[in-house]
Amino acid sequence: MKEKFDVTGMTCSACSAHVEKSVSKLKGVNSVNVNLLRNNMQVDFDENTVTVTDIINAVKEGGYGAAVAGEKEIKDTKTNDEISSVKFRLIVSIACLVPLMYISMGHMWGFPFLGIFHGSENAVTFAFTQLLLTLPIIYVNRKYFINGFKTLIHRAPNMDALIAIGSGAAFVHGVVTLYLIGYALGHGNMDAAHSHMMDLYFESSATILTLITVGKFLEARAKGKTSQAIEKLVDLTPKTASVIRDGKETVVSVEDVRVGEIVVVKAGQAVPLDGRVTEGNGTVDESAITGESIAVEKNVGDSVTGATICKSGYFKFEVEKVGEDTTLSQIIRLVEEASSSKAPISKLADKVAGIFVPAVISIAAVTVIVWLILGYGISFALSMGISVLVISCPCALGLATPTAIMVGTGRGAQYGILIKSAESLETAHKIDTVVLDKTGTITEGRPSVTDVCPVSVSEKELLILAASVEVKSEHPLAKAILEKAEELSLKNVTDFNQIEGQGVKGVIDGKTILAGNYRMMKENGIETAEDTRFASEGKTALYFAADNKFIGIIAAADTIKKDSKQAIEDMRKMGLDIIMLTGDNKITAEAIKNQISVTKAIAEVLPADKEAEVRKLQNEGHRVAMVGDGINDAPALTRADVGIAIGAGTDIAIESADIVLVKSGLQDVVTAIELSRATIKNIKENLFWAFFYNVLGIPIAAGVLYGIAGLKLNPMIAALAMSFSSVFVVSNALRLRFFKPKRSDAPVEKIKENKIKEENKMTKTIRINGMMCSHCTGRVSDALNAIDGVTAEVTLDNGGQAVVTLNKDVSNETLTKTVTDAGYEVVGIE
């Protein structure tokens, strides 16, 4: 059987690995998947051999807490409470650290200093005040000490163990020094008291804890973003359904609906459950489940899926699936399982912790023993031992990864790439396969007119008649035609009628206008041949006739985004395999594949199939990035090593993903992978230097040079060396601020520069407010490019702008009016 458990006390990948190891040792346990992000684990075990209690006890014996998910919980708090807790710890730490640093080091820099802390006679006040300011920091961050020493006891040291030893050694040294100050003053030895005043290292202990807590706060915020996806999926499920009972339409809770009952769905309502249409017809938007951008007509006998939206029409359907059996429930289950089975990423610092910590402790102990054997006093020997612990403090080691991650994610945000976790940024550099959802990712995600083919009438007249008769239609293709004809004057329509499964008709200027599919033309005796060319190109053709005479075809399709082709080519150049998954039909998928250089295209893919395809690639040894925007992509986004969501996509996809592209462009996928590679390189450099200082400093701190050159590295110098290594690591991480992508698309500034160089052309930059996604830029681009003599490049850069090249004299007023009519605000024209 399978059971899910909540696990508490895990802080790093070493913790999750230790929990997995502890449970895996039990006889009867088949598999264990520990999820560090969600603080839970899923165990597949033989209940006849091992019990739930045995599993919980195994986790507890490993130094952590566990409980069956859903039972009375022993876990700390939920995500929001965890963020609040870390935030409180951070505030207290900073509030105490600032005055502590001022008191301990202010006199060194010539800052104004209170007389009560000045001079050897005030040494106890000076030291005791630092102790009092350090204690709150240690108390609020006691978790590091509890977990750290617990892992040491269980011989599974992690980063908490390093933090506890480094901070604890500095604190203990400060306390011992405080007693020595009191002893010196009590015996009138002012010189010794003054010397001991310089050997207080409370600020080192406090600084370690505060800096590490900053990293934990950022980590907690990232974890909070990803935990809401499943809750939003659950919220998507309709809460009520209109059921026919005793011959009457009754609104009941979805949970009360049973298989076989008849449910009524009207225009604008959500389909509550899975079933099959028994009466009526309608157009259903299934984009939430299939990703298909064009609404699907549903007639008697067709299946309908819960959480889809009836855009027009009225129908009744017989319920076939309820509860956990519905398509949406299966998607939710897939997201949960994919999340639980995602292996935690082992950070380099955690990998070496098991060796580094006992090695440092051993060296410190040996140092004390050797100096005692050599006849030096206990004070001297302890000073040497503590110097070893202080200089090996994990401050630089702890900063090596989070500082680079912090700068890397910040730099990503400047390029419109929101990286929600350090794990995803680390993993992205290993990606070798990118799986792309078609609708809304490679394409615009909405149909637009691609071809206008008039017969016996002008193009303008065909558009006017088509838009006039479609204005009352709710079909998505009708909206595409209306957008194409938005600048034309439409005519009044009378006797409008929608014909099931065919199209619409109406009377315009006394002429009967037919608009629909080829079947409509055939059944009305209109002489024309079916044009299969559009279908082979993945387009949908609408046929038009006036007074039983064929007058033309208008084709529409979900068009490819402007940057998709180049972005895919760039990814191929990086050595990545590109696979396109789509819920669309094979003809549409093949048409898209022929236009771009993807390695493979798979059509008619259901949500579970997308997740299964990603899993199949992972089983073959590939590191997979999934790029998508629909709810149907959520399981695959979660299953993938790195899930990348298009910013203009659904909230569910964005919450399920590890990385969100604000600008909704595939070029940002290229940038994200490049940024990950640069960040990992920086982290490895940081870790090298952090260890370099430890390897160099530990022998010196142990007194290797004392017998040769009389050089004794007291704890003060050790702390300075430790601090310098931290400064070096942070400085190196800050180099990531200068990261620039090697993308093929020229930035807006370069485009503008090249345009100006062209003869007899004028370039203007229009600053536009209100554009939020690729749909907005597409609308503005279409509007500006429709002006005679204007070529426009519209982007979301610099808050939204259009770089227009004028071949003719076009006034600023005309440009402003065009953008305003498109629904956006012009801030300025340069």
Side-chain angles (χ1 to χ4, degrees), residues 413-425:
Q414 293 177 342
Y415 283 100
I417 302 168
L418 304 183
I419 301 163
K420 295 165 61 177
S421 68
E423 288 82 359
S424 58
L425 184 61

Side-chain angles (χ1 to χ4, degrees), residues 508-790:
I508 299 176
D509 294 339
K511 296 180 180 180
T512 300
I513 307 298
L514 299 179
N517 53 26
Y518 178 70
R519 176 185 168 190
M520 177 180 240
M521 300 293 110
K522 189 176 179 180
E523 293 199 0
N524 284 274
I526 309 297
E527 292 185 6
T528 184
E530 184 174 10
D531 195 329
T532 59
R533 172 173 57 92
F534 295 116
S536 65
E537 295 174 354
K539 301 175 182 177
T540 303
L542 289 178
Y543 295 76
F544 295 87
D547 281 346
N548 294 323
K549 183 180 179 182
F550 178 65
I551 60 173
I553 295 176
I554 295 179
D558 188 5
T559 55
I560 296 175
K561 292 179 181 178
K562 292 181 179 180
D563 71 336
S564 292
K565 185 175 181 180
Q566 185 61 59
I568 291 171
E569 289 178 0
D570 288 347
M571 284 187 267
R572 294 295 298 272
K573 290 176 183 177
M574 296 172 68
L576 303 173
D577 287 331
I578 312 300
I579 296 176
M580 182 179 78
L581 302 183
T582 175
D584 290 343
N585 58 60
K586 292 181 180 179
I587 294 176
T588 301
E590 194 62 29
I592 297 294
K593 181 177 181 291
N594 291 336
Q595 299 177 57
I596 53 180
S597 55
V598 295
T599 310
K600 183 180 179 182
I602 303 176
E604 299 176 355
V605 181
L606 297 175
D609 296 333
K610 291 186 180 183
E611 186 269 346
E613 188 67 30
V614 171
R615 181 155 29 94
K616 178 182 176 183
L617 289 167
Q618 290 174 324
N619 291 338
E620 293 173 356
H622 295 286
R623 288 298 184 103
V624 182
M626 171 70 192
V627 186
D629 72 329
I631 293 173
N632 62 306
D633 301 318
L637 286 169
T638 312
R639 170 69 66 183
D641 296 283
V642 177
I644 304 175
I646 295 297
T650 63
D651 288 343
I652 308 300
I654 291 172
E655 290 295 341
S656 298
D658 303 299
I659 298 174
V660 178
L661 308 182
V662 175
K663 299 177 185 176
S664 300
L666 283 182
Q667 277 289 0
D668 287 338
V669 176
V670 180
T671 302
I673 296 174
E674 289 179 348
L675 178 62
S676 172
R677 292 177 178 178
T679 304
I680 294 303
K681 180 182 178 182
N682 190 280
I683 288 173
K684 289 180 178 179
E685 292 171 349
N686 286 347
L687 288 172
F688 169 77
W689 286 110
F691 282 112
F692 172 77
Y693 280 110
N694 279 313
V695 170
L696 184 66
I698 288 176
I700 298 174
V704 171
L705 298 180
Y706 184 74
I708 301 173
L711 178 61
K712 176 181 180 290
L713 190 67
N714 64 37
M716 183 67 177
I717 303 300
L720 183 63
M722 180 273 291
S723 300
F724 182 69
S725 68
S726 301
V727 171
F728 189 95
V729 163
V730 172
S731 300
N732 186 53
L734 290 177
R735 292 191 305 111
L736 283 171
R737 291 184 302 171
F738 306 107
F739 165 83
K740 290 185 179 180
K742 302 173 183 177
R743 51 171 62 179
S744 295
D745 60 329
V748 174
E749 292 78 7
K750 187 67 177 177
I751 293 173
K752 180 178 177 181
E753 179 183 313
N754 291 340
K755 298 282 185 182
I756 291 175
K757 290 180 180 179
E758 297 180 19
E759 293 184 1
N760 301 322
K761 291 185 179 181
M762 181 178 181
T763 301
K764 294 183 179 181
T765 300
I766 307 173
R767 305 295 179 187
I768 303 171
N769 189 25
M771 296 193 299
M772 303 296 292
C773 64
S774 59
H775 299 274
C776 300
T777 58
R779 186 182 296 275
V780 175
S781 178
D782 290 343
L784 288 172
N785 283 306
I787 303 174
D788 187 27
V790 173

Side-chain angles (χ1 to χ4, degrees), residues 7-182:
V7 182
T8 60
M10 298 189 299
T11 58
C12 68
S13 56
C15 299
S16 58
H18 186 65
V19 170
E20 186 170 328
K21 185 177 179 181
S22 299
V23 178
S24 298
K25 287 180 180 178
L26 296 176
K27 186 177 180 181
V29 172
N30 301 320
S31 65
V32 184
N33 287 313
V34 181
N35 190 312
L36 176 62
L37 184 66
R38 297 182 63 81
N39 292 316
N40 64 27
M41 70 174 176
Q42 187 164 303
V43 184
D44 184 359
F45 62 97
D46 182 0
E47 64 269 32
N48 296 321
T49 306
V50 63
T51 65
V52 169
T53 303
D54 294 333
I55 294 172
I56 292 175
N57 289 336
V59 176
K60 289 181 178 178
E61 289 171 8
Y64 304 90
V68 175
E71 292 186 358
K72 185 177 180 180
E73 301 179 354
I74 63 168
K75 60 182 180 179
D76 296 334
T77 54
K78 290 191 176 181
T79 305
N80 289 337
D81 293 333
E82 180 185 352
I83 296 174
S84 300
S85 174
V86 179
K87 185 177 181 180
F88 172 76
R89 285 162 43 198
L90 183 59
I91 291 172
V92 171
S93 298
I94 294 175
C96 293
L97 181 63
V98 171
L100 173 60
M101 294 297 290
Y102 182 82
I103 292 172
S104 63
M105 307 187 80
H107 61 285
M108 298 181 184
W109 303 98
F111 294 154
F113 210 63
L114 294 175
I116 193 174
F117 300 123
H118 189 69
S120 300
E121 63 277 9
N122 293 315
V124 170
T125 305
F126 178 74
F128 192 67
T129 303
Q130 292 184 47
L131 172 65
L132 292 179
L133 288 170
T134 304
L135 286 174
I137 298 176
I138 289 179
Y139 178 76
V140 296
N141 294 296
R142 62 191 180 279
K143 182 179 180 182
Y144 297 128
F145 295 92
I146 295 171
N147 292 338
F149 290 121
K150 188 183 291 184
T151 59
L152 280 173
I153 293 171
H154 291 93
R155 292 179 295 179
N158 61 358
M159 280 298 295
D160 283 351
L162 296 175
I163 296 164
I165 288 178
S167 179
F171 180 76
V172 169
H173 180 270
V175 172
V176 171
T177 304
L178 175 58
Y179 277 95
L180 293 175
I181 289 173

Side-chain angles (χ1 to χ4, degrees), residues 188-211:
N189 191 342
M190 304 303 286
D191 290 337
H194 184 270
S195 176
H196 290 316
M197 284 179 67
M198 300 299 104
D199 285 340
L200 289 167
Y201 305 110
F202 290 120
E203 76 282 355
S204 296
S205 175
T207 301
I208 295 166
L209 296 173
T210 303
L211 289 175

